[in-house]
Amino acid sequence: MLPITIGVAIGVIVSFQTAVNSRLRHFIGSPYQASLVSFTIGTLFLAIMTFASQHTLLVAPDVIATQPWWLWIGGLLGVIFLTANILLFPHIGAVQTAIMPILGQVVMGAIIDNFGWFHADRQPLTLTKIVGLLLALAGILITVALPGLLHKRHQLATEKSTGNPFIWRLIGVFTGALGATQTTINGRLGLALHSAIHAAFISFLIGTLGLLVIVLIVNHGLTEIRRATGHGKPWWLWIGGLLGAIFVLGNAYLAPILGTGQTVVFALLGQITGGLLVDQFGLLGAQRKPVAGIQLLGLAVLIVGVMLIRLF
């Protein structure tokens, strides 16, 4: 039960990170610079943790020479996932921006486990697991999308969209698949380095460097970051990176134990539960949105799906 508990807990943590980073973006203005701040703080936190446990931040040359090239791209996949979500919103709206990457994560996680991609241990799909995955997806859809659709029946049609929405939906599913792939890669990196903390640090460091390049290209500098400093700004604006680091660390630890598919689903269960708590109580400066009964039903369906995936 401990790995399951950790999986749900890191999902709750990342939902709090989302609320914190939303406030940080509100003050900074640029989502890319806000993400860079978050990644930088997470990298510094993991650097301290890595040095305390490993007494070095470096990777042994023989590890670099003997491991496959894809072991080092987890951080870049995380940046692509983050950046794509920012770009998706104006093209397909809020609901589909939430749903499409989740669909990609769940499906890709199941595929990786079934075929043992990226040197993962094979966990063949059974009929019961497939039913569990379908229930989990149904629970996610009910919880995340259905309340908005019931409130505004034509929400998908009326949300601002540009370009070809089908292409953007595919991009959303694809970036979700990259998120699941990152989980697998970071798990394998943790095994190669004999430290999930070291693997999370490498992932965050590469992600931070990638975001820095994006910020310099898009924003031509870092001047907007200073808007988040000064009197009257809540102290917790700066903990988003720490929470994100714990999430990546948890994924790197869990993926070799539970498999990518189960790690993704348990984290999504925690993420949705945490998101409902943030909405219900208006935590971390979020606008208070009382949880609807249909969302609790969706959460129950999701839990049943998770039980089928794990127990059978």
Side-chain angles (χ1 to χ4, degrees), residues 156-167:
L156 293 179
T158 57
E159 281 184 328
K160 180 182 176 183
S161 63
T162 59
N164 187 335
F166 179 75
I167 297 298

Side-chain angles (χ1 to χ4, degrees), residues 13-45:
I13 285 172
V14 83
S15 69
F16 292 164
Q17 182 205 18
T18 300
V20 170
N21 285 349
S22 294
R23 294 296 294 168
L24 183 63
R25 290 173 187 175
H26 171 75
F27 286 113
I28 291 180
S30 166
Y32 302 106
Q33 291 190 42
S35 297
L36 178 61
V37 169
S38 182
F39 262 72
T40 301
I41 292 173
T43 300
L44 293 175
F45 167 73

Side-chain angles (χ1 to χ4, degrees), residues 80-257:
I80 294 172
F81 178 75
L82 175 71
T83 305
N85 279 349
I86 294 172
L87 297 176
L88 284 175
F89 182 84
H91 294 279
I92 59 176
V95 172
Q96 294 185 68
T97 298
I99 291 300
M100 295 303 166
I102 288 176
L103 176 61
Q105 283 181 276
V106 174
V107 171
M108 188 62 175
I111 291 174
I112 289 172
D113 286 347
N114 187 65
F115 295 103
W117 289 355
F118 304 104
H119 299 176
D121 294 333
R122 285 196 64 191
Q123 297 185 22
L125 281 173
T126 63
L127 179 60
T128 305
K129 284 186 177 181
I130 292 173
V131 172
L133 284 170
L134 292 175
L135 283 175
L137 282 172
I140 292 167
L141 288 169
I142 293 170
T143 307
V144 176
L146 193 56
L149 296 178
L150 291 176
H151 178 70
K152 191 174 182 180
R153 292 178 181 274
H154 302 291
Q155 184 170 353
L156 293 179
T158 57
E159 281 184 328
K160 180 182 176 183
S161 63
T162 59
N164 187 335
F166 179 75
I167 297 298
W168 286 102
R169 291 179 192 126
L170 286 180
I171 292 173
V173 173
F174 177 72
T175 56
L178 293 184
T181 304
Q182 180 197 21
T183 297
T184 307
I185 289 175
N186 286 347
R188 300 309 300 176
L189 181 59
L191 293 177
L193 298 176
H194 306 291
S195 170
I197 297 174
H198 202 171
F201 164 68
I202 296 296
S203 179
F204 251 73
L205 177 62
I206 293 174
T208 300
L209 295 175
L211 265 174
L212 179 61
V213 172
I214 292 174
V215 167
L216 293 178
I217 293 174
V218 175
N219 297 135
H220 309 293
L222 307 173
T223 56
E224 297 179 40
I225 292 177
R226 68 176 183 273
R227 296 178 184 174
T229 61
H231 180 71
K233 307 297 191 303
W235 63 269
W236 45 259
L237 279 181
W238 307 101
I239 69 170
L242 187 149
L243 299 179
I246 294 173
F247 177 73
V248 172
L249 173 59
N251 275 303
Y253 168 74
L254 290 176
I257 299 173

Side-chain angles (χ1 to χ4, degrees), residues 276-277 279-280 289-293 295-296:
L276 293 178
L277 290 173
D279 284 349
Q280 175 67 29
K289 301 175 184 176
V291 174
Q295 291 178 294
L296 297 178

